[in-house]
Amino acid sequence: MSQSNREQWTSRFGFIMAAAGSAVGLGAIWKFPYVAGTSGGGAFFLLFIIFTLLIGLPLLLCEFVIGRSTGKEAVSAYKELAPKTKWHWVGIMGVVTCFLLFSFYSVVGGWILIYFGKALTGALSNPAISYEGLFAETISDPFIALGAQLLFIVITILVVSRGVQNGIEKANKYMFPALFILFLVIMVRSLTLPGAWEGIVFFLKPDISRIDSSTILAAMGQSFFALSLGASAMATYTSYLDKNVSLTRSAVSVVSLNLMISLLAGLAIFPAVFALGFSPAQGPGLLFQVLPAVFSQIPLGGFFLICFLALFFFATITSAFSLLEITVASLTQKKPEKRRKASWYAGLGVFLLGIPSCLSYGVWSDVLIFDKSFFDAADYLVSNLLLPVGALFISLFVSFKMKRELLQSEFVRGSKIASRFFGIWYAVVRYVLPLLIVLVFLNVIGIVRFTQ
Ligand code: PFF
């Protein structure tokens, strides 16, 4: 298929909603609070903001430039920009990363569906309920958990198989603004609970003594995960973007929205954690335990909980679209008519790969890899290794392999002020970004020490 009859996003707003839809999902809403809760609260949040602005934003622009300058999905984009080299392996690694990421991502997607079902039947509004017990019981039933995970994947397949414009863009345009508004409501309720102050201090006051090598790695991994970076998924999304839209303005919008949702999630959850007597270090169950408890404290809470879970589901599924899209796009680059078939094969493959992660919260909870459950091991591998390594290669590719003139023309197009920042961006991508990522790794393995 020639480039001219390839599908495109219909507007800048549509693209930003789609890119923000890919970015904002479990990362900002579910993972961010629980990792902040286990990794030092305010100190983690501060590092997360620094990494997002210093590495995330420039890297997002790298992926945007790769996607838009070629108009091709990840693997072909690297091939076109660096023919007869091995750089397309960065694209292949991105596809593999997204595949693995989707395998455990869909497990949590399934949990949301289960909770949604429970909320509809009123099972979550019982004041006598133990929210910790309910969470453990919900996710440990293998049939329900696997069934819900499969349902989540099938919904993703159905949308992705319809193509970018019809499926992904339309869905995102409405879901995203609605999510934002509901989060504001939850935040106000959480902040007005008696005892909320302690949570605000935990979340917003950085305690520098809590920063160690694993907090730094977690914050860096989280900034990539939350912005969908390092796996070329954003490059693939940008390949459907019109030539005249400003990449810099779009990137700033996506990063701001993502930071805002993370802040809202933290402010919605931590005040309630302390006010209602939970521990912030609950792990992956944090949101699922705390939010139903918050809703049980307010009038019409059952209704609000249903709305929240619906929007949480939408935010998650819009990220899942991008995870599946990168595989489907690379499988169908030459044969777009095979999109439907490719979506089904890829989606079902993800399900099979995700079975151990799903069962690791139930019957396989004793099976450990390097002391971690399947789920945690897959998440650690993706967030703390594959995404940062992918990011490292992407920054090297853009700054050392792509032509500076091409980068500049993509960077400045559509924006009057972007040209002032090109030099800084280029220097950051070429020197700061790779150096920082390598330093964080060296710090983790103990070769360089800038923390205890
Ligand atoms: N950014 C997504 C989220 O926060 O839920 C997850 C994600 C999607 C990561 C796509 C990486 C990716 F390529």
Side-chain angles (χ1 to χ4, degrees):
M1 182 159 137
S2 77
Q3 283 314 115
S4 55
N5 58 7
R6 197 168 181 265
E7 271 192 292
Q8 284 202 334
W9 306 113
T10 53
S11 64
R12 184 176 98 98
F13 180 72
F15 168 67
I16 292 178
M17 286 298 106
S22 164
V24 176
L26 290 181
I29 302 172
W30 161 79
K31 196 163 185 233
F32 172 74
Y34 103 67
V35 182
T38 47
S39 311
F44 174 86
F45 186 40
L46 178 68
L47 286 172
F48 171 71
I49 296 177
I50 294 174
F51 277 121
T52 300
L53 296 178
L54 198 65
I55 301 192
L57 179 61
L59 196 70
L60 185 59
L61 273 160
C62 291
E63 293 213 15
F64 278 3
V65 166
I66 294 172
R68 215 238 325 252
S69 64
T70 57
K72 290 192 170 146
E73 52 72 44
V75 182
S76 321
Y78 291 101
K79 273 192 188 150
E80 180 176 307
L81 291 166
K84 302 202 183 80
T85 64
K86 301 253 181 280
W87 281 98
H88 64 281
W89 277 97
V90 179
I92 296 175
M93 189 174 120
V95 175
V96 173
T97 304
C98 285
F99 206 78
L100 181 61
L101 202 164
F102 194 17
S103 76
F104 65 84
Y105 203 87
S106 52
V107 175
V108 187
W111 296 349
I112 302 173
L113 287 174
I114 301 173
Y115 264 67
F116 187 65
K118 284 190 187 269
L120 281 180
T121 59
L124 298 177
S125 313
N126 177 355
I129 210 167
S130 146
Y131 289 101
E132 282 103 331
L134 182 85
F135 178 70
E137 180 195 314
T138 303
I139 62 172
S140 59
D141 182 323
F143 292 106
I144 296 183
L146 282 172
Q149 181 189 9
L150 184 60
L151 180 61
F152 182 84
I153 293 174
V154 168
I155 299 172
T156 311
I157 295 172
L158 290 175
V159 175
V160 170
S161 62
R162 295 182 64 203
V164 282
Q165 215 168 323
N166 280 333
I168 299 176
E169 180 173 349
K170 273 201 192 115
N172 275 310
K173 258 184 175 170
Y174 300 102
M175 291 172 193
F176 198 69
L179 173 77
F180 208 75
I181 295 168
L182 198 79
F183 241 126
L184 279 176
V185 174
I186 306 173
M187 187 190 78
V188 170
R189 172 67 270 205
S190 184
L191 286 172
T192 50
L193 284 169
W197 183 246
E198 218 185 317
I200 302 174
V201 172
F202 173 81
F203 177 52
L204 293 183
K205 192 168 170 229
D207 173 1
I208 305 296
S209 69
R210 297 201 59 177
I211 296 181
D212 61 15
S213 63
S214 64
T215 317
I216 296 177
L217 182 66
M220 184 172 82
Q222 175 63 17
S223 71
F224 293 145
F225 188 99
L227 279 171
S228 308
L229 293 175
S232 307
M234 284 298 194
T236 301
Y237 257 32
T238 320
S239 69
Y240 306 115
L241 182 62
D242 185 86
K243 282 279 172 214
N244 299 315
V245 171
S246 161
L247 294 181
T248 37
R249 281 168 58 199
S250 306
V252 170
S253 307
V254 172
V255 168
S256 320
L257 284 170
N258 202 46
L259 276 178
M260 218 128 66
I261 292 279
S262 295
L263 178 68
L264 283 179
L267 288 176
I269 290 187
F270 288 113
V273 164
F274 285 86
L276 303 176
F278 286 94
S279 145
Q282 303 275 332
L286 183 69
L287 178 116
F288 290 93
Q289 294 164 20
V290 175
L291 283 190
V294 177
F295 285 111
S296 74
Q297 305 269 322
I298 54 175
L300 288 181
F303 169 73
F304 278 120
L305 178 59
I306 292 172
C307 296
F308 172 75
L309 286 169
L311 291 170
F312 182 27
F313 168 75
F314 287 144
T316 306
I317 201 103
T318 50
S319 305
F321 297 160
S322 69
L323 288 168
L324 190 60
E325 173 64 21
I326 179 166
T327 310
V328 172
S330 68
L331 290 175
T332 58
Q333 167 71 11
K334 294 215 173 68
K335 295 190 182 117
E337 69 283 0
K338 294 259 158 61
R339 171 168 275 273
R340 175 164 301 174
K341 216 174 188 180
S343 305
W344 279 99
Y345 281 132
L348 294 178
V350 163
F351 175 65
L352 293 179
L353 186 66
I355 290 175
S357 291
C358 186
L359 296 182
S360 71
Y361 278 97
V363 283
W364 284 3
S365 58
D366 294 341
V367 185
L368 299 180
I369 307 174
F370 293 114
D371 250 4
K372 291 185 190 312
S373 67
F374 266 112
F375 182 102
D376 290 341
D379 182 11
Y380 190 89
L381 180 64
V382 166
S383 307
N384 294 349
L385 200 71
L386 291 174
L387 293 180
V389 169
L392 175 64
F393 282 123
I394 289 170
S395 66
L396 294 175
F397 178 79
V398 166
S399 53
F400 289 98
K401 242 13 234 181
M402 286 181 72
K403 295 212 171 61
R404 198 182 155 112
E405 303 76 57
L406 175 63
L407 296 176
Q408 189 155 15
S409 81
E410 285 293 347
F411 189 90
V412 301
R413 191 166 328 130
S415 162
K416 291 202 183 76
I417 55 163
S419 57
R420 282 192 231 151
F421 299 100
F422 176 74
I424 303 177
W425 173 72
Y426 190 72
V428 168
V429 172
R430 204 174 163 105
Y431 304 110
V432 180
L433 232 147
L435 203 72
L436 245 168
I437 298 175
V438 170
L439 276 178
V440 171
F441 279 134
L442 292 180
N443 183 40
V444 171
I445 44 183
I447 295 182
V448 173
R449 273 273 163 252
F450 43 88
T451 51
Q452 341 68 7

